[in-house]
Structure formats: C-alpha cells, structure tokens
Amino acid sequence: MDFRNKRLSVSEAKEIDIVYFLSSLGHEPAKIRNNDYWYFSPLRDEKTPSFKVNRRLNRWYDHGLGKGGNLVDFAILYHGCTVSELLQNLSGNLSLQKPSLHQSFTQPEAQNQIKVLGDFILSSTALLRYLQQRRIPIDIADRYCREVRYELNGKVYYGIGFKNDLGGFEIRNPYFKASSSPKGITTLDNSADEVIVFEGFIDFLSFKAIHRQDPEDRFDFAVLNSISFFETARPFLEKHNAIRLYLDRDITGKNCSQYALSLSSKYKDESNLYQNHKDFNDWMVNFGKPQRKHQNKS
C-alpha cells in the first residue's frame, strides 16, 4: 500500500482544535463554562484548574504561568521541541488519522463506529517514529502490539493496536486514541506471585523496556485499558500475593490507588517513582532532563 507524506504548515497546525489535541494527550477539562474549558495545567502541577481554553477562539491561557497562545505555542512548550520538530511530528501519512479542525472530541461515539479491518506487523514510519518519541524500543512493541488498520466514518486509518483479553484493540497514534469493541482488560499470566498494574499499554511497554533484562516470568501484568475496569480486574489481581500499582498521577488514578490500598495490604502504590510526572511513560521519556520549575499562581 502506497502512503505519501504531507507536511502540515504552521497555519494548518494552529487550526487544530486545542480541546481535541489535549484529549489526545490524555487531558480532559475539569469544568466547562460556555466556550471556556478549564483544565489542571498540563504544563505544571496544580490543585486548582487554572489552564483555560476558549474553544470559540481556539486559544489557551495558563494563569499560573502567565502564558498563552495557539496550539503551536502550547505544543512546543508541552513537548519541549522546536516548531520544525512539531510540524514533523504532526505530519505523517495521509491515512494516519488527524483531528478535524474544530471537531468535538466524542470518543465513545467514535469507538462504536470503529471497524478493525486487519492487524499486521508494525511497519509504518509514522508509528515507529511515535514509538521512538515515547522511547519504546521497537522489539518490545513488536512483542505486544500490532499495526491495526481500521475504518471510521467510511475512511481507513491505522494505529498501534494492543489487544485485550476479549479480542478488542486499544488503538493509538500521535493524534488519536480509542478502542475497538469489545473493550476490556489485558492480562499476562506467567504464574508469578506478583502482579504489576498499569492504566494504559504505553506505560506497560515502558516498564518492559526498562526491565528488559528481567526473566519473562518474573511478574504477571494487568493493563486496565481504562480505570473504570479496575473492579473487573480485581479477581485476577487479588489471586496474587503482591499487587503493585503504577497508575496515572491524575486525580482519577490517585483516587483508584487510594481505594485499592483500602481493600487489602496486598496493594502497593508505586506511583511515587514518577510523582512529578503524569504517568510512568512521561517519567521515562523525561528521565535525566532538568525538571521544569513550577510557578505558583499569584
């Protein structure tokens, strides 16, 4: 299949819906008032949401930093990259799904429309580059993931697919994350005494990359694929002597970890390892880099 690259211009990148873009990075609004979407800042740690996106204007402003602008301004701050590097990342194969300009992000509806056409060995340059940016070795990704071609709204796209126990896929590319039906957890049962728990498969792959020298059967693993599947995972988790939680450091992930700790002494929250980061992969990607100085809201 012949895919041709198309490079986005700066003006085209600026028109990408910021709310959609934030959702693709895992950030959802804490509150919405008319056209104003309020977030806990993706650029720093805070306890009160002070990062605002005006969706009508498609502009953002971080009140704690005193900075704002368009999507390009945000993305180069968030990723710590140049404009040229950003455009290279946002560009890619025409069949790599990009968010429609100023399109509402309605993931559950989109998930219902996804039809998986086939899965293949990872080969797309854009997807391999995305894995490289997340510091996931290709041999690790090859072991657990497939390149999934899927149809959505009459068009064919592709992404990195991670299969769950029910046969559905978690699908990721640089612009989009969703699931094909049926959605469920993913477990790897090596008959180990300990089980490692992750919210998403990118964190799981990151752990495997760091511990690539470990024996394959040292741990069992559970990837929730959604924090809402924690209760579903409990029978598998609680048959182990130790349950180590590496959940996200957002409010939902922290609350789930606290709930788990209240259930049994088997559970242990390991997220302090990456306490200044969003999740395990964010910590791994930024390991060794200088920490951003957090500024208090004046």
Side-chain angles (χ1 to χ4, degrees), residues 75-121:
I76 60 177
L77 274 177
Y78 184 86
H79 291 294
C81 63
T82 65
V83 173
S84 177
E85 288 170 339
L86 173 67
L87 294 178
Q88 184 178 3
N89 180 49
L90 291 176
S91 302
N93 293 310
L94 293 175
S95 291
L96 181 63
Q97 182 172 344
K98 300 178 178 66
S100 301
L101 304 185
H102 304 285
Q103 171 188 351
S104 296
F105 183 78
T106 53
Q107 188 184 30
E109 181 181 350
Q111 287 175 352
N112 293 334
Q113 298 172 0
I114 288 176
K115 178 182 177 183
V116 174
L117 304 176
D119 60 279
F120 315 90
I121 189 171

Side-chain angles (χ1 to χ4, degrees), residues 33-80:
R33 292 179 179 172
N34 299 320
N35 289 313
D36 292 332
Y37 289 62
W38 291 88
Y39 298 79
F40 292 97
S41 176
L43 302 173
R44 56 194 173 81
D45 292 332
E46 63 176 356
K47 295 182 178 179
T48 303
S50 64
F51 183 96
K52 183 179 76 172
V53 175
N54 184 291
R55 201 165 195 186
R56 181 177 63 83
L57 300 176
N58 201 35
R59 305 277 288 189
W60 64 275
Y61 188 79
D62 190 316
H63 288 268
L65 291 179
K67 293 182 179 180
N70 54 51
L71 181 132
V72 172
D73 299 320
F74 168 78
I76 60 177
L77 274 177
Y78 184 86
H79 291 294

Side-chain angles (χ1 to χ4, degrees), residues 109-168:
E109 181 181 350
Q111 287 175 352
N112 293 334
Q113 298 172 0
I114 288 176
K115 178 182 177 183
V116 174
L117 304 176
D119 60 279
F120 315 90
I121 189 171
L122 290 165
S123 60
S124 159
T125 301
L127 296 181
L128 296 179
R129 184 170 64 236
Y130 174 64
L131 288 168
Q132 184 180 34
Q133 290 167 346
R134 305 317 303 168
R135 292 195 177 181
I136 306 295
I138 303 304
D139 64 307
I140 297 289
D142 274 337
R143 209 183 310 171
Y144 302 102
C145 301
R146 300 284 285 172
E147 184 166 316
V148 173
R149 302 291 165 90
Y150 62 97
E151 183 178 335
L152 175 63
N153 297 329
K155 296 183 179 180
V156 176
Y157 303 102
Y158 65 98
I160 301 165
F162 180 73
K163 206 166 192 177
N164 64 44
D165 291 353
L166 301 178

Side-chain angles (χ1 to χ4, degrees), residues 272-291:
N272 282 335
L273 173 67
Y274 45 94
Q275 60 182 331
N276 296 319
H277 298 272
K278 296 179 298 180
D279 53 36
F280 191 96
N281 177 257
D282 184 53
W283 167 75
M284 186 181 78
V285 167
N286 291 286
F287 187 81
K289 295 182 181 179
Q291 290 287 315

